[in-house]
Amino acid sequence: MNKFPSNSGKQILNVALADDDEDDRLFFQEAIEDISIRTKLSLLSDGQELMDYLNLPNIILPNLIFLDLNMPIKNGMQCLKEIRSNPKLNDVCIAIYSTSCSENDIEETFVNGANVYLNKPNNFSKLRDSIEKVLQINWQYHTSNLNRDNFLLRL
Amino acid sequence: MDFKIFRRIAQSPVVDRIALALAIVLLLFITTVLFKQIRDLEVSAEMVSHSLTVDKEINKLFTQYDLMESAEFRSVILKDSTFEASYIDHKLQNDRTFDRLYGLVKEMPYHRRNLDTVSKLKDSLHTTLTALHGKVKPMEADSTAMVYVERAASILKKLRGFKRNMLANNENFLQDKLVTYRRLTFLTPLTTLFLALFSIVMFTIAFFRLRRHKNKIQSSEALLQNIVQSTDNIMNYYEPIYDSNAKVVDFRVAFANICNRDYLNLEPDELLGKPITDVFPFVLKNNELQRMIDCFLENKTIDFERQVTVEGQQFWFHTFVRAMDGGILEVVRNNTEEYKAKENLLRANQELEVQNFIMSEAKKVAKIGSYTWYLDTGEAEISENYYRILGCEPDEFKPSLERYRSFVHPEDLKQYDEYGEWHRAKKEPRDHTYRIISKNGEVKHIRTKGQFIQKDGRTVLIGVVQDVSDQIAAENALRIKNLELERSNVELESFNRVVSHDLQEPLRKIQMFISRIDGEEKNKLSERGRVYFDRIDKVAARMQSLIRNLLNYSRIDSTHDDFEVVDLNSVMKKVSEENAERIKAEEAEIVWEDLPMVHGVGFQLEQLFGNLVSNSLKYRNPKVAPKIRVTSEMVANDQITEEFLKSSKHSFKITFTDNGIGFDNTNANKIFEVFQRLHSKTQYSGTGIGLAICKKIVENHHGYIQATGEKGKGSVFTIYLPV
Amino acid sequence: MKISVKYDLNITCKTILKEQLDKLDIPHLLHGTGEIEIKRAISDEEMQELFNNLNAYGIYVLNDQKTVLVQRIKNTINEMLEDDQLKSQKVSEYLADKLNYSYTYLSNLFSETTYTSIENFVILRKVDHAKDLMADTDLTLTEIAYRLNYSSVAHLSGQFKKITGLTPTKFQEILERRRGTRIQQTI
C-alpha cells in the first residue's frame, strides 16, 4: 500500500466479485457505482478465475470479495475454503453473494470462514442498500480496531 | 409280662366288680355272725341272770324252812299259838317261792330232781312240824315231842345239805355261764371291728377304682366329643322317623357338629330334633333319602358325592352314611377344592388339546416345521408339517441327512454343507436361509435355526424350519419398491434444485430489471404502460413468494439421519429471538414453560414454532396485545383420541395458544393444506403454506398437529410428538 | 500443530510504539491508542525514520486533522464503553465535553469520514464487545446484557440481530462450529 499516508483522507476500498451470471455482475457494478464509498471493483466470472486472480504476483489484494456460491468450474464454497486456508489471504473479508437462502448454506459458509452472507435481492435499490451496508461495516472493521474474527453479517 | 397281665387284670373293671361282690358277701356274713353272737351273748346273759335268780330263790326257800322251823319251835317252846299263824304265813310264802323256783329250774333237770327231793323233804318237814304242833298243845315236854323235834332237825339238816348242793351246783353253772359270757363279750366286738374294717377297706378300694374308671370313661367321652366337634367334616347322627305303618320315612337330627355352620351355614343347635328333609332339603335330590333309609334298614355303609349350593357358592361334598345304634351317622367331607382342582386340570387338559391343535394349525399356516436329529446315529425325526413343506405326505420317507440333502437346491448345496459343518463345529445357533426343491418341483426358501442339546446323554440337534418363500418374495418386492422410491426421491431432489435455482434465477432477474425500469425509465411509459408495468411487478413478486414457499415446503425432507435431541425450550428461545423485532413492534408476549426434549431436527422444529409464532402475530386481534403461550405435558397414547400412527407409548402434548382472531372450527383441517387460505390475499399477505409446512414438519417427526379455534377469541394448536 | 491465540491490539500497538520511539530516543506520552504526544522538537529525518519504522508494523501516522479527530472520537467511544462509570453517560454530551467540539460538528465529521453515524458506531462497537464476550467468556446473555448496559436480553438480541443479521444464539453456534472445524483441521 501507500508508503505515505494519503492526504485525501479516504482510502479506496478494493472489492472483487466472482459471479458467473453476466446480468448479476452488471447489476452489482451499477449498484456499487451508485454508492458514495470509493471502491475499485474487479469482476470475475467464475471461481477458478478468482483464485487465479488472487494468486497473481504483486497483486493488490481486495479488501472484500463477493462470492457467488453456484458457479461452474469452481464453486463458491470451494473458493471460500481455499481462501481461508491460505494465510496470505487472511485479511480478506468474504461476502457470500447467492440466491440460496437455505439455512444450511448460510451456516456452512459462516462456519467455513465467510464474514457476510448476502442474498441476491430481487430489487435494485435493495441490492444497492445491501452492498452499501456491507461496505460500511467492512470499512469499520478495517479502520476501527474491531475484532475481525467475530465479523459475521447476514443480510 | 406276667406283671402286665396282673396289672391288666387288676385294672379291669371285672375284677372291680368281683371285689365289690365279695365285699358285700363278706358284709352279709359278718352281719349274720354278729347277729348270732349277739344272740348268744343275750342267751348267756340271761342264763347268768337266771342262775343268780335261782341262787337267790334257793337261798330264800331254805331260809324259809329255817324260819318255819324256828317259828314252830318258838310256838312249841313258848306255847304261843301266835307263832302258829306266822308259821302258816311262812309256809305259804315258802310254797310260792318253791313254785317260783320250780318254774325257774324247769329246764334244769339237776335242780328239778333236787327240788323234787326237797319237795318231799318239805312235806315231811311239814308233817313233822305239824305233828309237833299238836303235841305242843298240852304244853308238856314229852319225849314224843322230842322225837319230832329231832326229826325236824334231821329234815332240816337234809334240806340244808340240799341247799348246799343246789347252791354249789348253781354256783358251778353260773361259773360256767360266766366263762361263756366273758368269752363272748370279748370275741364279738373284735370280730365285728375286724370285719367292719375289712369291708370298709374293700369298699374304699372299690369306690376309688370305680370312680377312676368312671373318670376314664368321662374323659374318653370328652375326647370323642372334641374330635367330633373339631373335625372339618360334618358329623351328624340321625334317628329314624316312622310313619303309622312303622315304616321309616325320614330321619330326625339327633346330633350335629359345628361344621354344619361352617359349610352349610346352619346352626347345629337349631338342627336338633328336626327332620332332615326340612333342614337338608338336598337329600331329596338324587334319591339320597331313600339310599339313607336303605342303609339304615340294611345296616350297612354307603358313600356318595353331593353338590350343594350355599349362598350362591357351589360346594362338592363326599358323604359317608353308616347305620349305627338305631340310627345313621353321616360324615360329610368338603372336597370342593379337590373337585375344583380336578375340574381345572380337566379344563387345562382340554385347553392344552385345543392349543396343541392351534399350534399344529399355526405351524401349517406359518409354514413352520420342526426337526430332531440325533447326531450319533444320524437318525432324525421331522414334524408332519416339515413333510408338507417338502411336498410330501407325513412319514412318506425315513428322514436322514442324506435323504434331506436331496431336497436342497443344487446351487445352495455347498452353502448348506458349509453351514452344517460350521454348525456342528461351533454348536451355536445361527439363522440360515437356503432353497429347497419340493417333491412337486416347487422352489422354496427355507429358513432354519437349530440348537444343540443333550438328551439322554446323546447330542441332539433340534430346530425349526420355516418356509419363507412368501416373505422373501415380499422382501424382493419391497426392495424393488424402495429402489423406485429412492429414484423418485432423487428426481424430486433435482426437481427441487431446478425450482430453487434455475427457476428462481430468471424470475429474480426479471424483478431486478423491473426495479431498474422502475423510476426514471417508468416515467417514459404511457399511463397504460405504467399500469401494466405495476401489474407485472406484482405478479412477479407473487410468483417469487410462491416459489420460495414451495421450496421451503419441499425442502423438509423426511430422512431421519439427522435426528438429535432437541430442547424445545431453546427452540422457543431462538424463535422469539428471531422474531424479537416483530414481537416488540406488535407488543406481543410469548411465554413457554418447561418444554420437553424431543428427538428431531433442530432447524425444522425452529421453523415449526417460528411459523406458528408468525401465524399468531399475523392473525392477531388488532384490539389486544398478542399473547402466545406454549405449554407441554406428557400423555399416554391410549388417552389420545386423535388418530395417527403412534410410535411410542407416550407422547408430549404441546399446546400453542394465542389470543388472535381465531377461526371457525369447521375450517380446522383446511388451514394445514398447501395454498389454503381462510382470508383473501388482500386482507392478509402470505401464500398459505406456513401451516402446511408445520404439518409436514410435525408428521416428519412422527407427530400430529391439529388446530381448534374460536372466532374472535384465539386459536389453539395442539402438537403431539413422540417421547 | 496450530494454536489459537488472542491478542489485545491496544497492547500490541502501544508496545510497538513505545519500542520504536524509545529506539529513536524520542520522549513521548501515549494518549489512549491513537495519539502520541512528542515531548521535544524532532527533525524531519527523525520523523521520516519513525514513520518508516512504524509502517513496517502497519501503523501509519495520520497527519490529517479530520482523520485525527475521527480517530479521537472512536478512541473516546472505546474508552467510554470500557469504563463502567462512563457507560451510563450520554455519548453526545461526553464526546462534546471531552473533545471540546460541538456534537453536531463531530457527528457530521464522523459520518463524512467513516460512512457511519456516531450512534451507529456506538452500537457497532457495543455489539462487537458483546461478540467478544460471547466468544471468549462463559457469560450468559443476561450477564452480557447487564454488563453492556442493555435494558434487557431482548434489547441486546434485537440490536445484535439488527447489526449482524443473526441472533446471538446462532452467532455463538457458528463460532463454536468454526472452532470445532479448525481444531479438526489442525488434527
Side-chain angles (χ1 to χ4, degrees):
Chain A
M1 265 229 223
N2 299 348
K3 276 205 169 178
F4 290 95
S6 130
N7 281 336
S8 71
K10 282 182 189 168
Q11 294 169 323
I12 291 176
L13 205 60
N14 275 311
V15 177
L17 168 70
D19 195 334
D20 60 322
D21 191 301
E22 199 191 338
D23 293 328
D24 277 332
R25 290 202 298 272
L26 179 67
F27 291 137
F28 194 92
Q29 194 172 8
E30 286 179 2
I32 208 163
E33 279 167 7
D34 231 16
I35 296 167
S36 58
I37 299 170
R38 288 177 58 194
T39 51
K40 181 178 172 296
L41 179 67
S42 314
L43 292 169
L44 303 139
S45 57
D46 64 60
Q48 193 52 57
E49 214 172 287
L50 172 72
M51 294 319 292
D52 291 348
Y53 170 76
L54 291 176
N55 287 323
L56 287 174
N58 301 322
I59 191 210
I60 297 171
L61 284 174
N63 301 96
L64 181 61
I65 300 170
F66 284 86
L67 190 58
D68 187 13
L69 282 181
N70 206 344
M71 287 187 293
I73 305 171
K74 189 170 270 180
N75 69 27
M77 192 55 120
Q78 285 170 300
C79 296
L80 175 66
K81 285 178 180 168
E82 273 184 44
I83 293 166
R84 280 299 171 236
S85 58
N86 187 346
K88 207 181 93 186
L89 305 173
N90 242 348
D91 289 340
V92 179
C93 284
I94 295 172
I96 302 297
Y97 180 59
S98 165
T99 41
S100 166
C101 51
S102 107
E103 285 298 320
N104 198 33
D105 283 348
I106 296 167
E107 206 173 308
E108 283 310 304
T109 50
F110 273 136
V111 168
N112 283 291
N115 300 99
V116 180
Y117 195 99
L118 173 61
N119 269 124
K120 288 182 180 172
N122 49 14
N123 179 300
F124 183 76
S125 54
K126 231 190 255 171
L127 174 65
R128 193 188 53 221
D129 293 348
S130 296
I131 293 172
E132 187 171 21
K133 193 173 182 195
V134 173
L135 293 184
Q136 274 178 8
I137 295 204
N138 186 59
W139 178 264
Q140 292 306 331
Y141 273 91
H142 268 276
T143 58
S144 302
N145 253 339
L146 297 176
N147 187 353
R148 200 154 346 144
D149 283 346
N150 298 336
F151 179 21
L152 293 181
L153 175 62
R154 158 93 170 90
L155 283 172
Chain B
M1 187 82 174
D2 289 346
F3 285 116
K4 270 187 191 165
I5 289 169
F6 284 129
R7 200 178 298 158
R8 202 176 300 156
I9 289 166
Q11 280 170 354
S12 90
V14 179
V15 174
D16 288 339
R17 272 181 214 140
I18 291 170
L20 196 63
L22 209 65
I24 291 167
V25 169
L26 260 175
L27 212 61
L28 283 172
F29 172 71
I30 289 164
T31 318
T32 322
V33 168
L34 203 61
F35 180 71
K36 192 178 164 283
Q37 280 200 341
I38 288 165
R39 285 294 298 272
D40 283 354
L41 195 63
E42 237 169 56
V43 170
S44 174
E46 227 170 68
M47 302 257 283
V48 170
S49 128
H50 189 260
S51 295
L52 285 172
T53 314
V54 168
D55 198 59
K56 196 181 100 193
E57 293 296 324
I58 288 168
N59 271 325
K60 205 171 165 186
L61 186 69
F62 287 100
T63 312
Q64 279 167 345
Y65 288 135
D66 284 342
L67 283 172
M68 278 160 63
E69 184 213 38
S70 57
E72 209 38 62
F73 279 140
R74 209 176 283 174
S75 75
V76 168
I77 297 163
L78 294 172
K79 311 284 192 207
D80 191 353
S81 63
T82 57
F83 283 103
E84 199 184 317
S86 137
Y87 169 78
I88 292 164
D89 196 30
H90 281 301
K91 196 192 173 258
L92 279 171
Q93 268 182 19
N94 179 264
D95 284 346
R96 278 201 301 272
T97 306
F98 184 86
D99 286 348
R100 210 160 48 228
L101 187 62
Y102 199 80
L104 281 173
V105 296
K106 217 165 37 194
E107 309 279 327
M108 298 157 85
Y110 173 76
H111 282 299
R112 277 239 316 255
R113 261 186 337 265
N114 278 343
L115 275 182
D116 286 342
T117 318
V118 168
S119 175
K120 284 171 192 153
L121 283 173
K122 179 193 81 178
D123 288 343
S124 60
L125 185 61
H126 271 303
T127 319
T128 312
L129 282 174
T130 315
L132 192 58
H133 187 61
K135 305 289 178 256
V136 165
K137 262 181 178 168
M139 295 278 230
E140 53 195 83
D142 65 33
S143 56
T144 43
M146 269 331 271
V147 171
Y148 284 113
V149 169
E150 278 292 321
R151 242 168 78 188
S154 80
I155 292 166
L156 271 174
K157 202 183 166 183
K158 272 185 191 166
L159 275 169
R160 276 185 204 111
F162 272 105
K163 182 191 167 187
R164 267 192 315 272
N165 282 350
M166 278 182 78
L167 282 174
N169 179 273
N170 205 32
E171 184 68 33
N172 281 344
F173 185 78
L174 186 63
Q175 281 307 321
D176 206 32
K177 288 297 164 195
L178 272 175
V179 169
T180 314
Y181 180 76
R182 269 192 210 112
R183 186 171 44 89
L184 282 173
T185 48
F186 175 74
L187 262 177
T188 310
L190 210 64
T191 329
T192 318
L193 188 65
F194 171 74
L195 287 172
L197 278 175
F198 176 75
S199 55
I200 283 169
V201 168
M202 286 301 280
F203 267 112
T204 313
I205 291 170
F207 173 76
F208 277 108
R209 287 191 64 99
L210 283 174
R211 206 179 70 159
R212 206 173 61 189
H213 194 64
K214 195 184 156 208
N215 281 349
K216 253 191 198 166
I217 290 170
Q218 266 178 351
S219 65
S220 61
E221 225 168 65
L223 181 69
L224 202 65
Q225 192 75 10
N226 261 336
I227 291 169
V228 167
Q229 293 297 3
S230 59
T231 173
D232 56 357
N233 295 341
I234 293 178
M235 278 187 173
N236 291 350
Y237 184 70
Y238 309 133
E239 284 164 352
I241 299 175
Y242 297 94
D243 66 356
S244 48
N245 301 327
K247 224 177 113 190
V248 179
V249 287
D250 200 347
F251 292 94
R252 182 179 290 113
V253 180
F255 173 81
N257 77 342
I258 199 105
C259 279
N260 287 282
R261 187 196 295 153
D262 299 344
Y263 295 142
L264 304 172
N265 215 12
L266 295 170
E267 275 306 318
D269 293 345
E270 289 169 17
L271 296 173
L272 295 182
K274 291 183 182 159
I276 60 166
T277 46
D278 281 5
V279 291
F280 307 128
F282 45 77
V283 297
L284 294 170
K285 287 196 292 181
N286 299 331
N287 210 20
E288 276 181 22
L289 181 63
Q290 192 52 50
R291 293 181 66 188
M292 286 160 88
I293 291 170
D294 291 348
C295 164
F296 171 69
L297 295 174
E298 292 163 30
N299 198 19
K300 59 179 186 184
T301 304
I302 55 166
D303 68 301
F304 51 85
E305 287 290 329
R306 168 192 284 167
Q307 189 188 337
V308 179
T309 307
V310 181
E311 294 182 344
Q313 217 182 332
Q314 280 214 322
F315 287 94
W316 281 267
F317 293 118
H318 192 81
T319 308
F320 295 91
V321 181
R322 181 180 182 173
M324 201 174 93
D325 286 348
I328 50 170
L329 177 70
E330 185 187 43
V331 179
V332 180
R333 196 182 70 211
N334 176 14
N335 62 349
T336 308
E337 293 304 317
E338 289 165 45
Y339 201 85
K340 279 187 181 166
K342 217 155 80 181
E343 261 196 355
N344 282 344
L345 196 67
L346 201 70
R347 201 164 42 235
N349 267 332
Q350 283 170 347
E351 271 171 24
L352 202 64
E353 259 172 51
V354 171
Q355 277 177 357
N356 273 338
F357 176 72
I358 292 172
M359 186 75 171
S360 84
E361 285 303 299
K363 273 183 172 180
K364 269 188 219 168
V365 172
K367 299 181 181 174
I368 291 176
S370 58
Y371 60 87
T372 311
W373 181 25
Y374 299 92
L375 257 67
D376 47 0
T377 57
E379 286 174 289
E381 291 156 16
I382 69 175
S383 71
E384 285 185 12
N385 211 42
Y386 205 159
Y387 282 106
R388 286 191 202 103
I389 290 170
L390 297 172
C392 302
E393 290 299 311
D395 295 324
E396 195 179 304
F397 61 89
K398 192 175 179 331
S400 68
L401 180 62
E402 282 314 308
R403 180 75 183 84
Y404 185 69
R405 279 180 87 251
S406 67
F407 285 101
V408 178
H409 196 288
E411 287 173 24
D412 290 354
L413 202 51
K414 189 163 168 271
Q415 211 188 345
Y416 176 81
D417 288 340
E418 278 169 9
Y419 166 75
E421 265 168 43
W422 179 90
H423 201 207
R424 281 191 291 278
K426 294 266 183 182
K427 302 239 187 315
E428 279 171 27
R430 191 179 81 175
D431 274 353
H432 181 57
T433 308
Y434 56 94
R435 285 170 296 171
I436 55 154
I437 301 171
S438 74
K439 195 184 167 193
N440 42 27
E442 204 182 333
V443 175
K444 287 180 178 176
H445 290 263
I446 296 287
R447 178 181 294 154
T448 180
K449 188 170 192 176
Q451 196 161 10
F452 286 96
I453 58 161
Q454 290 297 321
K455 191 178 165 189
D456 307 329
R458 304 169 74 182
T459 304
V460 182
L461 174 63
I462 55 163
V464 289
V465 289
Q466 186 176 18
D467 178 357
V468 290
S469 309
D470 294 348
Q471 215 173 311
I472 283 179
E475 271 168 24
N476 278 337
L478 200 66
R479 198 175 306 129
I480 290 162
K481 276 267 189 293
N482 265 339
L483 282 174
E484 279 171 16
L485 206 64
E486 255 170 53
R487 207 160 31 238
S488 77
N489 269 344
V490 170
E491 275 167 19
L492 202 64
E493 257 170 50
S494 59
F495 175 75
N496 278 346
R497 237 189 341 269
V498 168
V499 173
S500 70
H501 192 254
D502 303 352
L503 207 64
Q504 219 182 355
E505 277 297 294
L507 180 62
R508 191 179 57 78
K509 275 192 216 153
I510 289 168
Q511 286 181 300
M512 277 301 254
F513 284 118
I514 289 168
S515 70
R516 288 307 277 151
I517 294 166
D518 201 2
E520 285 298 306
E521 302 291 333
K522 195 176 153 189
N523 293 334
K524 292 175 188 163
L525 293 171
S526 68
E527 187 63 29
R528 182 179 277 200
R530 279 202 292 278
V531 171
Y532 287 159
F533 182 77
D534 285 344
R535 287 276 169 95
I536 291 168
D537 190 12
K538 280 206 180 99
V539 169
R542 170 133 192 88
M543 187 169 173
Q544 202 228 2
S545 115
L546 281 174
I547 289 174
R548 187 172 295 157
N549 282 314
L550 202 57
L551 199 66
N552 280 338
Y553 182 76
S554 64
R555 200 177 279 147
I556 302 156
D557 55 0
S558 46
T559 54
H560 304 128
D561 307 339
D562 45 357
F563 263 34
E564 55 193 0
V565 177
V566 180
D567 182 359
L568 288 184
N569 294 299
S570 58
V571 167
M572 278 311 295
K573 200 170 134 204
K574 277 184 190 170
V575 167
S576 55
E577 268 176 27
E578 203 79 50
N579 294 282
E581 220 170 313
R582 202 158 151 215
I583 290 165
K584 208 178 161 192
E586 306 263 6
E587 291 178 322
E589 189 194 353
I590 302 183
V591 290
W592 62 91
E593 46 192 55
D594 206 17
L595 300 179
M597 314 276 273
V598 298
H599 288 273
V601 185
F603 76 85
Q604 284 189 4
L605 292 168
E606 279 163 36
Q607 197 177 355
L608 163 66
F609 286 99
N611 285 0
L612 289 175
V613 166
S614 59
N615 185 71
S616 290
L617 293 178
K618 186 196 277 181
Y619 299 106
R620 64 166 290 187
N621 185 337
K623 288 172 196 151
V624 292
K627 188 166 178 183
I628 294 167
R629 188 181 159 81
V630 190
T631 57
S632 158
E633 61 175 314
M634 207 203 284
V635 288
N637 275 348
D638 45 26
Q639 287 170 358
I640 303 170
T641 48
E642 289 83 8
E643 287 289 328
F644 63 96
L645 191 70
K646 291 149 190 148
S647 56
S648 61
K649 263 196 168 176
H650 291 84
S651 293
F652 290 117
K653 179 184 181 182
I654 296 145
T655 314
F656 186 103
T657 316
D658 70 27
N659 59 348
I661 57 166
F663 58 89
D664 191 343
N665 256 332
T666 49
N667 296 317
N669 288 324
K670 264 191 183 173
I671 62 172
F672 291 113
E673 284 170 32
V674 181
F675 297 138
Q676 273 294 340
R677 299 169 52 93
L678 301 181
H679 304 274
S680 68
K681 267 184 273 183
T682 45
Q683 200 178 354
Y684 287 98
S685 59
T687 53
I689 209 157
L691 292 179
I693 287 175
C694 288
K695 189 177 181 215
K696 197 171 174 191
I697 290 171
V698 171
E699 281 170 2
N700 190 26
H701 285 77
H702 312 295
Y704 180 79
I705 184 168
Q706 67 168 14
T708 49
E710 198 180 331
K711 239 179 152 56
K713 290 273 178 68
S715 323
V716 178
F717 291 90
T718 308
I719 299 161
Y720 293 104
L721 290 175
V723 172
Chain C
M1 192 187 93
K2 276 191 183 177
I3 48 166
S4 295
V5 292
K6 178 181 177 290
Y7 37 87
D8 190 326
L9 281 172
N10 276 341
I11 297 168
T12 318
C13 288
K14 277 181 184 172
T15 316
I16 293 167
L17 284 172
K18 200 171 179 317
E19 272 174 17
Q20 293 303 322
L21 289 162
D22 286 349
K23 209 164 90 181
L24 296 172
D25 269 336
I26 300 170
H28 61 276
L29 195 64
L30 295 174
H31 291 290
T33 43
E35 255 182 333
I36 308 162
E37 192 184 329
I38 308 242
K39 293 277 181 85
R40 66 165 169 91
I42 50 170
S43 64
D44 281 354
E45 289 75 27
E46 275 179 319
M47 186 75 93
Q48 194 60 48
E49 196 183 347
L50 178 65
F51 288 0
N52 287 343
N53 290 348
L54 289 177
N55 281 357
Y57 292 100
I59 299 172
Y60 307 104
V61 176
L62 303 175
N63 50 8
D64 179 323
Q65 279 306 305
K66 284 183 181 175
T67 318
V68 170
L69 190 54
V70 166
Q71 192 56 48
R72 283 184 65 197
I73 292 170
K74 287 182 183 175
N75 292 345
T76 312
I77 289 170
N78 288 351
E79 277 165 34
M80 251 189 103
L81 294 178
E82 270 150 37
D83 190 324
D84 280 355
Q85 288 174 332
L86 300 175
K87 260 186 206 170
S88 48
Q89 257 193 300
K90 253 191 134 174
V91 178
S92 53
E93 283 169 16
Y94 185 74
L95 280 177
D97 204 37
K98 188 88 196 275
L99 303 176
N100 221 2
Y101 287 99
S102 86
Y103 183 68
T104 324
Y105 172 72
L106 291 175
S107 179
N108 286 338
L109 177 74
F110 194 88
S111 306
E112 190 188 306
T113 321
T114 66
Y115 314 112
T116 312
S117 66
I118 290 177
E119 287 77 15
N120 256 338
F121 181 78
V122 171
I123 292 169
L124 195 65
R125 194 68 237 196
K126 272 174 93 170
V127 169
D128 193 60
H129 197 169
K131 283 178 183 175
D132 280 344
L133 292 174
M134 280 179 214
D136 303 327
T137 67
D138 288 332
L139 295 177
T140 64
L141 280 183
T142 316
E143 286 163 335
I144 292 169
Y146 174 76
R147 212 176 248 217
L148 299 180
N149 211 25
Y150 282 103
S151 59
S152 65
V153 178
H155 188 202
L156 166 66
S157 297
Q159 212 164 69
F160 195 98
K161 179 94 196 284
K162 203 173 173 185
I163 293 297
T164 63
L166 297 166
T167 64
T169 319
K170 192 87 194 163
F171 172 82
Q172 270 174 313
E173 253 178 49
I174 290 166
L175 277 199
E176 256 164 54
R177 282 193 60 197
R178 253 192 200 180
R179 275 181 203 156
T181 51
R182 248 184 234 157
I183 286 163
Q184 260 181 351
Q185 281 169 359
T186 317
I187 292 161

